[in-house]
Amino acid sequence: MTVEELLVEAKSKIHSDHAKLLLADLLNKNPLELFLYLDEEVEEGKRKLFLEEVEALKNNEPLQYVLGKVNFYKNEFKVNKNVLIPRFETEELVEKTLERIRKTFKKDNLKILDIGCGSGVIGITLKKHLPNSEVTLLDISKEALEVAKENAENLNVDVKFIESDVFENVYDTYDVIISNPPYIMENEEIEDIVKNNEPHLALYAGKDGLDCYKKIFKDIKRHLNNTYLISLEIGMYQAPSIINMSNYFLGNNIIEVEKDLQGRDRMVFITKVE
């Protein structure tokens, strides 16, 4: 079958833009230039794989899982069903964390811990932008850590890994602790494509969505250096609870709540400078 024939068949099942993305990826072409290759024959193996991917997309599997990758902060990361698909809000978390790191610390050899690293997008991106820092990626999921390790290798960054339920297997202290933990309430309505495909371990966090934050704040103080930055992605209604936890477990700090591009409370930054 030719490129054109495959696209025509796929467009009867899925969105034409998705069809072009899938086929262009398999053929290692730019999707915008596929029209230059419409008469080109597609080898049988790639034809079969393309039609399998079309069926997966038709059955509401996320495009990122079908492609097996996602772009995050200008780098390509592997993703699969063992890890959450990174959102743009998490890119905002990384951007604003980098801004605060440059304002807060005079040194550039920071110790950074990424709790609940998933595919590793946060910790690996920070390491690429702060190459003199020591970055540790932590997750309770062995399968997620395998994905993160592969991404670190593919992107040529030297980071550490810990398999742990929050601080259970952590014995060090850090300048920066960052996390995008599960924060969805167990009865909260979310899109079916998310609920039916992405790992619930990385989505849900108890009745109020705060279970992971409670674990983090309970033990965080003994893992912080004197000057520190804590960066957290949160649910849109959780800022007051996070602020209360910070005040209770850490005392007087600078606490900033930032909104995402949709105007929703999405990030909390907690800073102490000595």
Side-chain angles (χ1 to χ4, degrees), residues 46-267:
K46 290 184 178 179
R47 182 198 70 82
K48 184 178 179 182
L49 181 55
F50 173 69
L51 294 178
E52 288 174 355
E53 291 180 342
V54 168
E55 285 300 315
L57 214 58
K58 180 185 174 184
N59 292 326
N60 292 320
E61 187 169 331
L63 177 64
Q64 295 90 336
Y65 286 159
V66 176
L67 288 170
K69 59 188 177 182
V70 65
N71 188 278
F72 183 91
Y73 221 83
K74 300 180 181 179
N75 286 294
E76 187 176 280
F77 288 84
K78 172 184 175 179
V79 292
N80 60 29
K81 289 189 175 184
N82 293 313
V83 298
L84 203 67
I85 297 169
R87 269 67 173 180
F88 184 70
E89 290 86 352
T90 307
E91 288 191 321
E92 292 182 76
L93 178 73
V94 170
E95 176 71 26
K96 294 180 184 300
T97 296
L98 286 168
E99 291 173 1
R100 282 168 173 79
I101 284 174
R102 292 173 182 127
K103 291 178 183 176
T104 303
F105 299 96
K106 296 179 181 177
K107 60 182 182 179
D108 65 354
N109 57 334
L110 301 174
K111 292 185 67 175
I112 300 171
L113 177 66
D114 175 9
I115 297 176
C117 67
S119 59
V121 293
I122 293 175
I124 291 170
T125 301
L126 290 177
K127 177 65 175 180
K128 288 187 76 70
H129 285 263
L130 303 165
N132 293 329
S133 294
E134 178 185 297
V135 179
T136 300
L137 280 63
L138 176 156
D139 206 288
I140 192 174
S141 166
K142 185 187 297 288
E143 293 77 14
L145 286 172
E146 288 303 314
V147 177
K149 288 175 183 177
E150 188 171 340
N151 281 323
E153 183 176 345
N154 290 342
L155 292 168
N156 195 31
V157 297
D158 181 16
V159 293
K160 297 181 177 181
F161 297 92
I162 300 176
E163 184 181 340
S164 181
D165 184 0
V166 189
F167 293 112
E168 192 174 275
N169 298 321
V170 177
Y171 309 101
D172 213 338
T173 59
Y174 299 89
D175 303 296
V176 179
I177 293 180
I178 187 169
S179 184
N180 174 24
Y183 56 71
I184 296 174
M185 297 181 287
E186 60 184 30
N187 295 321
E188 187 173 339
E189 288 296 320
I190 61 174
E191 293 178 286
D192 285 343
I193 194 170
V194 176
K195 182 170 63 176
N196 296 335
N197 290 282
E198 301 193 47
H200 286 196
L201 185 65
L203 292 170
Y204 295 99
K207 289 184 178 180
D208 57 6
L210 295 170
D211 283 5
C212 289
Y213 300 111
K214 293 171 184 175
K215 283 185 178 182
I216 289 172
F217 278 102
K218 176 175 164 288
D219 295 316
I220 198 169
K221 190 169 185 178
R222 59 192 178 93
H223 295 288
L224 291 166
N225 291 332
N226 291 334
T227 293
Y228 58 77
L229 168 66
I230 303 167
S231 299
L232 302 170
E233 186 170 327
I234 64 167
M236 70 176 83
Y237 303 116
Q238 294 173 334
S241 298
I242 303 299
I243 292 170
N244 287 339
M245 287 185 215
S246 177
N247 288 334
Y248 180 80
F249 287 103
L250 295 173
N252 188 29
N253 285 312
I254 299 170
I255 303 176
E256 300 169 286
V257 179
E258 291 268 10
K259 297 182 183 299
D260 60 22
L261 293 180
Q262 284 70 48
R264 303 169 296 194
D265 287 347
R266 186 60 68 195
M267 294 152 273

